[in-house]
């Protein structure tokens, strides 16, 4: 188990990328809470991630990346609606649900769709530039509160995580808004930091509005 602190040095980023490339787990601060992650394209690393949280394959973790082009490794059909929303709100508190690549479905879990986001967090983005897309979910055991500090995450995972990034205490923030863009019309799945009015404004040039049904 290793710990590195922010601001990250280039050597630290390289070390983090090495750990991830070797199938290790990391904990990192994000723009809301601490997350636990693994290389998104490594099925064994994702299995370890889900096991550490006590979560099954029926709840695949979201994927975060530094740029849209990196997401082509995991999702398809980045349609006009997705492009408009991403241009308006990424990096930021918007999660999009997109179809998972057919050859990728077995890596993350049992669903054929995937939640993706580009986070608004400079240190995390710098890590993602080195690691590529990460499967990243809240740093907590299932049904426990999300970690808001590195020390809290260590209490949850101890030696199960290979490298911890200590960025101090985060404030939790407002969770991301989740929009499903796999259908004919985008659907709001969770209201978060981005309002329905803001979503619709971003889509106005396409004459599309977001369906308000939430689950």
């Amino acid at each position: 188990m290793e710990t590195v602190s922010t601001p990250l040095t280039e050597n630290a980023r390289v070390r983090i990328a090495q750990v991830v490339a070797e199938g290790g787990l990391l904990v990192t601060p994000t723009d809301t809470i601490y997350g636990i992650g693994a290389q998104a394209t490594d099925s064994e690393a994702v299995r370890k991630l889900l096991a550490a949280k006590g979560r099954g394959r029926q709840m695949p973790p979201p994927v975060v990346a530094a740029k849209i082009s990196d997401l082509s490794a995991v999702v398809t059909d980045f349609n006009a609606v997705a492009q408009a929303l991403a241009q308006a709100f990424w990096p930021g508190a918007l999660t999009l649900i997109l179809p998972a690549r057919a050859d990728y479905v077995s890596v993350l879990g049992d669903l054929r769709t995937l939640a993706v986001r580009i986070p608004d967090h400079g240190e995390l983005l710098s890590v993602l530039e080195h690691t590529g897309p990460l499967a990243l979910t809240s740093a907590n055991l299932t049904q426990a509160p999300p970690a808001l500090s590195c020390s809290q995450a260590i209490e949850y995972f101890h030696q199960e995580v290979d490298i911890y990034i200590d960025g101090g205490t985060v404030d939790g923030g407002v969770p991301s808004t989740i929009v499903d863009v796999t259908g004919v019309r985008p659907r709001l799945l969770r209201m978060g930091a981005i309002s329905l009015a803001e979503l619709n404004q971003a889509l106005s040039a396409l004459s599309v509005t977001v369906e308000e049904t939430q689950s």
Side-chain angles (χ1 to χ4, degrees), residues 174-208:
V174 180
S176 65
T177 295
I178 302 177
V179 179
D180 183 339
V181 292
T182 61
V184 174
R185 183 182 176 193
R187 289 191 304 125
L188 180 68
L189 300 186
R190 181 180 74 190
M191 182 61 73
I194 297 168
S195 70
L196 184 65
E198 290 172 312
L199 295 172
N200 288 333
Q201 176 61 36
L203 296 173
S204 59
L206 300 176
S207 299
V208 173

Side-chain angles (χ1 to χ4, degrees), residues 21 25 45 53 85 102 110 112 115 136 139 151 158 161 168 191 211 215:
L25 301 184
K53 280 184 63 77
L85 292 174
D110 295 334
R112 297 190 178 274
L136 189 73
S151 59
H158 304 286
V161 167
M191 182 61 73
E211 187 178 354
S215 60

Side-chain angles (χ1 to χ4, degrees), residues 7 9 17 26-27 40 44 51 54-55 68 93-94 96 100 114-115 117 120 133 136 143 147 150 156 166 193 206:
T9 64
L26 83 160
V27 158
E44 177 59 22
R55 175 184 289 187
I68 292 173
L94 174 69
L96 296 178
L114 190 60
R117 186 165 81 95
D120 187 15
L136 189 73
Q143 298 184 337
C150 185
Y156 285 143
D166 189 347
L206 300 176

Side-chain angles (χ1 to χ4, degrees), residues 25-30 32-38 46 48-55 59-64 108 115 117 124 134-142 146-147 153 157:
L25 301 184
L26 83 160
V27 158
T28 177
T30 74
T32 52
I33 57 178
Y34 271 73
I36 180 173
V46 173
K48 289 196 300 183
L49 169 62
L50 294 173
K53 280 184 63 77
R55 175 184 289 187
M59 296 180 65
V63 170
V64 295
L108 274 191
R117 186 165 81 95
L124 178 52
L134 293 176
L136 189 73
T137 184
S138 57
N140 60 292
L141 305 177
T142 298
F157 301 113

Side-chain angles (χ1 to χ4, degrees), residues 31-125:
D31 41 357
T32 52
I33 57 178
Y34 271 73
I36 180 173
Q39 185 104 72
T41 53
D42 184 334
S43 58
E44 177 59 22
V46 173
R47 185 199 65 77
K48 289 196 300 183
L49 169 62
L50 294 173
K53 280 184 63 77
R55 175 184 289 187
R57 286 173 54 84
Q58 73 280 3
M59 296 180 65
V63 170
V64 295
K67 50 187 183 293
I68 292 173
S69 59
D70 289 344
L71 293 173
S72 63
V74 295
V75 293
T76 63
D77 194 22
F78 209 90
N79 55 42
V81 169
Q83 292 176 34
L85 292 174
Q87 183 176 3
F89 302 112
W90 282 355
L94 174 69
T95 296
L96 296 178
I97 307 297
L98 287 162
R101 281 176 53 119
D103 60 352
Y104 183 71
V105 171
S106 63
V107 174
L108 274 191
D110 295 334
L111 301 183
R112 297 190 178 274
T113 57
L114 190 60
V116 296
R117 186 165 81 95
I118 296 180
D120 187 15
H121 189 278
E123 293 283 15
L124 178 52
L125 289 174

